[in-house]
């Protein structure tokens, strides 16, 4: 009798299976991950589980996942492990706002006793087992060998893809390289296309590292385009491959219409067709918010890429009477705002535009950008997360990791100012911005809306939206401060070795591997070619080199001759005048022609004359039509009534042309004697070739073909070897040049850091070397605190839009002299950098000196802001950076001098009022 198969889902397990299951549950219950899961209302995603298990197993992890996918859960598990093991965890972020936000989150979970915060502005409970900090703070700790590093078990680097940033990215690599080996590193990154490469590098410098990549968005993102009063889907398929044909057709029709408007030579026919075509326009900001509101797509963040544009958008919504909040919500907003801003004096609130800001907030509308007071920005973030602000107009700084997700994200344009020029958004930037759309646990789907604008290309947008990843590229380079710190800790030789382990060198070396492989293949091919061209009469390699030299010489002479002929032809065209009759030597329009317009301003490659040919063709010719010089063979008068667009006018003038010059026979261009015919070098090479033994070989041309292949491959190989040489040891070579310059200046002496060098080691500002030189030269020795603040401001301030037309206002007296001396000293250092092939130090910017002087002298906020014409947020940000550099000056200043005391007094003078308002108050 047979027994039926047991259903594994319904039948009872065997005793052995029950024992195995119970044992697995006991093991699982004993893990830190089991207890950690209970802290969350939702279950962990597979990528979070994988990364957490790797961490608990003692491996470092790199987690690359989309914005909003929950990467920070892995960082929070590292915090949990550190507390379980009685060790410390440092949680680093790229910006202070994100540090403040993470500090608040961790305090809610673990309490204020266990969590600290260290940024340039705040120092709270720095000895706690969990400390949130900016990445620069950790870098400075490592170089100073801070006692705070004792017991450190884990470091979480949030937004680690920031190491691509060309201004600050090097700090991330410094931290990764210099962290003690006992520290487990948790790297959290946006989705990058070379995560495995970055993970391989982490493995070489940090040991066993698990790479966990997830491209799954927990909340699906839908892409749209808003044109006029209609919202179009960008894609028509679920896989986001097929671009909406309605959008493509709309773009084509609109671009054709705009093209006709600027086409001077197109006739006006077809006007009726254009007026019947669909009319499309860029919707106003108010229209966009109302449309999103009507379709249930709020809250929304609109990225404008301009602070003035963000402020203007809020004003437009207010003037339009837009209200997104109920009366009950208005009351909640007012209560929260008054609580958060209660520590700011009333006279400052008036200066800061508080009442207009509050009115917009009560309506559910706000701006968010770096020009706002930090307290105001944080209130906007809190209200938005609570659903009490429904529409935020923001610059791209909001996308840098701040936890502020929305249901929809709107992009007004696909172009932004990058600090130097207006540039198209990259796929990575587009992904980062639109990643804010879709709130996990709240929204079923997120929405990205791009507004229609002039020249809009749906296929370009589809390319941005379809590229989910972008490569991580290192921006690492040695600095003066880094050099003295490294040499002081491990010596010059070991420092070179450490820098060779940077991600920048790792990427360069990887590219060299492929080149080296190709060089090896080429060398094998060269050996084969060398055998094939062997001649029994003599050295065919030598004979082939003579033939190659002759060919190169003849080519160069021919090129020079052609360039001379082109120059002569261009010069002849510049002499033409309207009415000149010429003979076009070659091309489609060869023959007689009359010049209508010499076209001196039409082309970058020389004049482009507009002519009428004898067969009634009116055309603008190019330099290619004149391989030889041309001159007027006759002249004729062009009637004032002549119109090139009129067939009758062309016919009449062409007839007159034939009558006037039809008897002239077009002469064939005569070539002069070639310069090569009289070149002594060519004559010498030809004689050597004729005298060479291989010249008489019966298989000479067969050998020569192999020789030609040999030299072509040899040239390619030499180019590859030059590329290899340029990419290997690039970081170490730069470090050597930095050390050479520091040695010349007396900051280094071999492997020894001098007293001046130890002062430089305590200065982390961008203009580190200039600061150290100012201290050494004693430029600030007899300044007042306000005057020192003015001078130090030139080390940190950089105008957003440099304006050379107006000289900045400067304080007088000793401060003015010291600022002039600083610029002179910078000029000396710049010349020294040029000799050492370095380019690190920018010119000190004096544009903030008067503002810093006024504020440090005790001036009121309204007077200082009114005179500086600077947004409050920018003022506070620069002042906080000034406080930071003044603190570094105080630490680095020589003992016994006045600068140390003056710098500390300057810190107190600057850190008052609106600058002292702590976001954590």
């Amino acid at each position: 009798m047979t027994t039926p198969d047991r259903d594994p889902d319904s039948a009872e397990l065997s005793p052995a299976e029950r024992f195995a299951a119970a044992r697995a549950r006991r093991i699982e219950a004993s893990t830190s991950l089991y207890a950690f899961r209970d802290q969350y209302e939702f279950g962990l995603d597979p990528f979070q589980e994988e990364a957490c298990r790797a961490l608990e197993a003692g491996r470092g992890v790199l987690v690359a996942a989309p914005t909003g996918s929950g990467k920070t859960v892995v960082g929070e598990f590292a915090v949990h492990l550190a507390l379980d093991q009685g060790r410390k965890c440092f949680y680093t972020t790229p910006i202070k706002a994100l540090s403040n936000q993470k500090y608040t989150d961790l305090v809610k979970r673990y309490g204020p006793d266990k969590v600290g915060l260290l940024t340039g502005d705040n120092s709270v409970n720095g000895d706690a087992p969990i400390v949130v900090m900016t990445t620069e703070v950790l870098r400075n700790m490592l170089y100073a060998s801070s006692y705070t590093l004792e017991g450190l078990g884990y470091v979480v680097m949030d937004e680690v893809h920031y190491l691509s940033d060309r201004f600050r990215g090097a700090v991330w690599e410094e931290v990764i390289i210099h962290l003690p080996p006992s520290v487990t590193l948790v790297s959290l990154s946006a989705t990058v296309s070379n995560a495995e490469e970055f993970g391989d590098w982490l493995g070489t410098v940090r040991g066993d590292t698990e790479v966990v990549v997830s491209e799954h968005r927990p909340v699906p993102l839908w892409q749209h385009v808003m044109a006029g009063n209609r919202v179009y889907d960008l894609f028509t398929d679920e896989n986001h491959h097929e671009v909406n044909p309605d959008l493509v057709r709309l773009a084509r029709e609109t671009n054709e219409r705009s093209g006709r408007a600027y086409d001077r030579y197109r006739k006006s026919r077809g006007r009726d067709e254009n007026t019947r075509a669909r009319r499309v326009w860029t919707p106003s900001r108010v229209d966009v918010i109302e449309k999103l509101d009507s379709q249930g797509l709020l809250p929304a963040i609109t990225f404008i890429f301009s602070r003035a544009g963000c402020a203007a958008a809020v004003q437009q919504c207010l003037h339009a009477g837009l209200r997104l909040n109920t009366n009950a919500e208005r009351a909640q907003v007012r209560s929260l705002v008054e609580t958060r801003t209660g520590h700011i004096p009333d006279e400052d609130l008036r200066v800061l535009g508080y009442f207009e800001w509050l009115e917009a907030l009560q309506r559910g509308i706000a701006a968010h950008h770096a020009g706002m007071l930090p307290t105001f920005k944080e209130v906007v973030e809190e209200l938005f997360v609570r659903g009490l602000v429904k529409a935020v107009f923001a610059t791209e700084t909001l996308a840098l990791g701040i936890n502020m997700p929305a249901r929809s994200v709107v992009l007004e344009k696909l172009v932004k100012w990058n600090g130097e020029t207006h540039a198209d958004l990259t796929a990575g930037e587009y992904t980062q911005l639109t990643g804010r759309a879709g709130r996990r646990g709240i929204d079923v789907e997120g929405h990205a809306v791009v507004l229609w604008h002039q020249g809009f290309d749906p296929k370009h947008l589809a390319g941005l939206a379809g590229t989910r990843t972008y490569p991580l590229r290192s921006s690492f380079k040695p600095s003066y401060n880094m050099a003295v710190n490294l040499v002081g800790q491990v010596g010059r030789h070991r420092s070179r070795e450490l820098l060779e382990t940077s991600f920048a060198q790792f990427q360069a070396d990887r590219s060299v591997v492929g080149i080296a492989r190709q060089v090896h293949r080429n060398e094998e091919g060269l050996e084969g070619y060398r055998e094939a061209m062997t001649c029994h009469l003599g050295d065919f390699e030598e004979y082939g080199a003579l033939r190659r030299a002759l060919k190169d010489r003849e080519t160069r002479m021919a090129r020079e001759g052609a360039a001379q002929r082109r120059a002569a032809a261009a010069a002849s065209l510049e002499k033409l005048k309207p009415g000149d009759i010429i003979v076009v030597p070659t091309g489609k329009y060869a023959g007689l022609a009359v010049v209508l317009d010499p076209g001196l301003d039409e082309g970058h490659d020389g004049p482009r004359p507009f002519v009428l040919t004898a067969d009634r063709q009116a055309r603008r010719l190019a330099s290619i039509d004149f391989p030889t010089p041309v001159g007027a063979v006759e002249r004729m008068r062009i009637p004032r009534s002549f119109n090139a667009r009129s067939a009758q006018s062309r016919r009449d003038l062409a007839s007159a042309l034939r009558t006037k010059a039809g008897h002239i026979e077009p002469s064939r261009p005569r070539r002069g004697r070639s310069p090569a015919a009289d070149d002594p070098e060519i004559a010498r090479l030809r004689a050597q070739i004729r005298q060479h033994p291989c010249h008489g070989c019966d298989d000479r041309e067969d050998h020569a073909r192999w020789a030609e292949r040999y030299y072509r491959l040899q040239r390619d190989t030499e180019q590859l070897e030059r590329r290899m040489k340029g990419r290997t040891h690039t970081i170490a070579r730069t470090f050597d040049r930095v050390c050479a310059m520091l040695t010349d200046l007396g900051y280094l002496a071999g492997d020894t850091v001098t007293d001046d060098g130890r002062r430089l080691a305590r200065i982390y500002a961008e203009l580190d070397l200039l600061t150290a030189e100012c201290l050494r030269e004693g430029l600030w020795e007899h300044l007042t605190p306000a005057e020192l603040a003015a001078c130090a401001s030139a080390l940190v301030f950089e105008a957003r839009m440099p304006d050379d037309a107006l000289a900045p206002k400067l304080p007088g007296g000793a401060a003015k002299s010291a600022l002039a001396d600083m610029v002179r000293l910078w000029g000396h250092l710049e010349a020294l950098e040029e000799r050492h092939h370095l380019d690190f130090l920018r010119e000190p910017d004096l544009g903030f000196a008067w503002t810093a002087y006024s504020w440090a002298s005790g001036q009121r906020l309204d007077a200082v802001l009114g005179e500086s014409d600077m947004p409050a947020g920018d003022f506070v940000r620069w002042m906080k950076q000034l406080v930071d550099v003044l603190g570094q000056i105080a630490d680095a200043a020589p003992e016994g001098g006045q600068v140390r005391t003056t710098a500390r007094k300057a810190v107190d003078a600057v850190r008052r009022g609106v600058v002292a308002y702590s976001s954590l108050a």
Side-chain angles (χ1 to χ4, degrees), residues 644-662:
R645 297 184 186 180
S646 164
Q648 185 61 49
S649 288
R650 293 197 302 273
R651 191 160 40 245
D652 292 346
L653 189 61
S655 175
L657 170 63
R658 289 191 297 272
T659 301
K660 181 79 173 176

Side-chain angles (χ1 to χ4, degrees), residues 184-383:
T184 302
L185 185 67
V186 181
S187 306
L188 308 179
S189 170
T191 312
V192 292
S193 57
N194 59 336
E196 286 75 15
E197 179 188 39
F198 186 48
D200 288 348
W201 173 68
L202 287 173
T204 64
V205 293
R206 301 299 317 162
D208 194 5
T209 301
E210 185 93 2
V211 179
V212 180
V213 177
S214 172
E215 295 188 20
H216 171 70
R217 274 185 57 97
V219 180
L221 179 65
W222 296 95
Q223 309 277 348
H224 311 281
V225 175
M226 187 169 176
N229 57 8
R230 183 175 169 188
V231 178
Y232 295 82
D233 290 334
L234 176 60
F235 298 105
T236 54
D237 64 320
E238 291 187 2
N239 294 323
H240 289 192
H241 294 311
E242 299 295 327
V243 181
N244 190 335
D246 288 343
L247 271 178
V248 176
R249 186 163 52 250
L250 193 63
R252 186 174 61 247
E253 291 172 357
T254 306
N255 292 335
E256 281 178 359
R257 288 202 303 277
S258 63
R260 286 194 184 108
Y262 296 103
D263 190 343
R264 291 176 295 170
Y265 300 108
R266 190 183 291 273
K267 294 190 175 181
S268 61
R269 61 173 175 245
R271 191 174 296 151
D272 293 340
E273 298 170 18
N274 293 343
T275 54
R276 286 199 300 271
R278 283 174 289 181
R279 183 170 171 268
V280 67
W281 65 93
T282 303
S284 73
R285 290 156 178 168
V286 175
D287 290 342
V288 172
I289 300 302
E290 288 180 336
K291 186 74 171 180
L292 295 177
D293 191 22
S294 68
Q295 296 192 2
L297 297 181
L298 295 181
I301 299 169
T302 301
F303 287 107
I304 295 181
F305 307 128
S306 156
R307 299 177 184 184
C310 293
V314 172
Q315 289 301 313
Q316 289 159 13
C317 292
L318 292 179
H319 292 155
L322 193 62
R323 283 181 169 81
L324 304 174
N325 278 349
T326 64
N327 288 333
E329 288 171 330
R330 284 177 65 90
Q332 289 181 60
V333 169
R334 189 175 192 93
S335 173
L336 187 143
V337 170
E338 288 175 348
T339 301
R340 295 286 184 271
T341 59
H343 61 289
I344 304 178
D346 289 344
E347 60 268 22
D348 284 358
L349 288 177
R350 281 193 293 275
V351 177
L352 297 168
Y354 168 81
F355 299 103
E356 298 85 350
W357 173 68
L358 175 59
E359 175 57 29
L361 290 178
Q362 290 182 124
R363 295 191 188 193
I365 304 162
H368 187 289
H369 55 75
M372 294 170 62
L373 193 71
T375 304
F376 284 16
K377 279 198 298 183
E378 286 154 14
V379 168
V380 170
E381 291 161 14
E382 186 173 352
L383 289 173

Side-chain angles (χ1 to χ4, degrees), residues 562-608:
Q564 289 170 2
R565 287 193 297 275
R566 282 196 301 272
S572 71
L573 291 176
E574 289 173 358
K575 296 175 183 175
L576 295 180
K577 297 179 178 61
D580 281 351
I581 298 174
I582 60 173
V583 177
V584 180
T586 59
K588 185 177 178 182
Y589 305 106
L592 281 175
V594 60
V595 177
L596 304 175
D597 170 22
L600 298 179
D601 300 323
E602 287 295 325
H604 298 295
D605 56 347
R608 297 190 60 203

Side-chain angles (χ1 to χ4, degrees), residues 452-698:
W452 185 273
H453 50 268
Q454 183 67 42
F456 178 78
D457 181 0
K459 292 181 179 177
H460 172 66
L461 175 59
L464 291 178
T467 307
R468 309 304 303 164
T469 63
Y470 53 97
L472 193 61
R473 293 279 174 253
S474 172
S475 60
F476 183 82
K477 62 180 180 181
S479 68
Y480 299 116
N481 170 274
M482 186 195 304
V484 290
N485 273 298
L486 281 175
V487 173
Q489 286 186 348
V490 297
R492 204 145 157 182
H493 179 71
R494 175 67 182 138
S495 296
R496 276 181 115 259
E497 291 178 344
L498 276 173
L499 293 175
E500 291 273 60
T501 65
S502 68
F503 187 44
Q505 193 59 59
F506 183 84
Q507 288 190 309
D509 289 346
R510 280 220 162 173
S511 68
V512 163
V513 169
I515 299 174
R517 218 176 276 130
Q518 184 61 49
V519 167
H520 181 66
R521 285 197 295 267
N522 285 6
E523 286 171 345
E524 290 177 347
L526 286 170
E527 191 56 40
Y529 290 160
R530 192 180 287 112
E531 289 179 15
M533 68 180 183
T534 301
C535 178
H536 65 287
L537 294 179
D539 185 350
F540 203 91
E541 194 172 336
E542 181 184 71
Y543 178 72
L546 287 171
R547 288 178 59 136
R548 163 59 56 186
L550 175 62
K551 184 177 179 182
D552 289 345
R553 179 69 179 173
E554 288 175 338
T555 302
R556 185 162 62 253
M557 295 293 289
R559 195 178 296 124
E560 288 172 0
Q564 289 170 2
R565 287 193 297 275
R566 282 196 301 272
S572 71
L573 291 176
E574 289 173 358
K575 296 175 183 175
L576 295 180
K577 297 179 178 61
D580 281 351
I581 298 174
I582 60 173
V583 177
V584 180
T586 59
K588 185 177 178 182
Y589 305 106
L592 281 175
V594 60
V595 177
L596 304 175
D597 170 22
L600 298 179
D601 300 323
E602 287 295 325
H604 298 295
D605 56 347
R608 297 190 60 203
F610 188 47
V611 303
L612 178 74
T613 64
D615 56 354
R616 305 192 301 276
Q617 296 285 325
R619 289 289 182 270
R620 191 169 292 284
L621 303 181
S623 58
I624 196 170
D625 296 306
F626 299 95
T628 55
V630 66
V633 295
E634 264 288 3
R635 281 192 55 76
M636 65 182 293
R637 191 179 68 82
I638 300 173
R640 287 191 176 184
S641 59
F642 176 75
N643 182 356
R645 297 184 186 180
S646 164
Q648 185 61 49
S649 288
R650 293 197 302 273
R651 191 160 40 245
D652 292 346
L653 189 61
S655 175
L657 170 63
R658 289 191 297 272
T659 301
K660 181 79 173 176
H663 63 283
I664 298 174
E665 286 289 330
S667 58
R668 296 178 66 85
R670 295 179 60 188
R671 286 190 174 273
R673 184 176 172 82
S674 168
D678 302 317
D679 184 59
E681 178 66 11
I682 288 178
R684 184 185 66 80
L685 288 169
R686 284 175 176 163
Q688 283 186 308
I689 287 170
R690 285 194 295 271
Q691 292 165 10
H692 199 280
C694 292
H695 191 66
C697 178
D698 294 338

Side-chain angles (χ1 to χ4, degrees), residues 73-92:
V73 167
V74 183
E76 288 163 7
F77 182 59
V79 171
H80 179 83
L81 282 175
L83 292 175
D84 261 9
Q85 298 165 5
R87 303 168 80 192
K88 288 182 180 180
C89 178
F90 289 172
Y91 198 112
T92 73

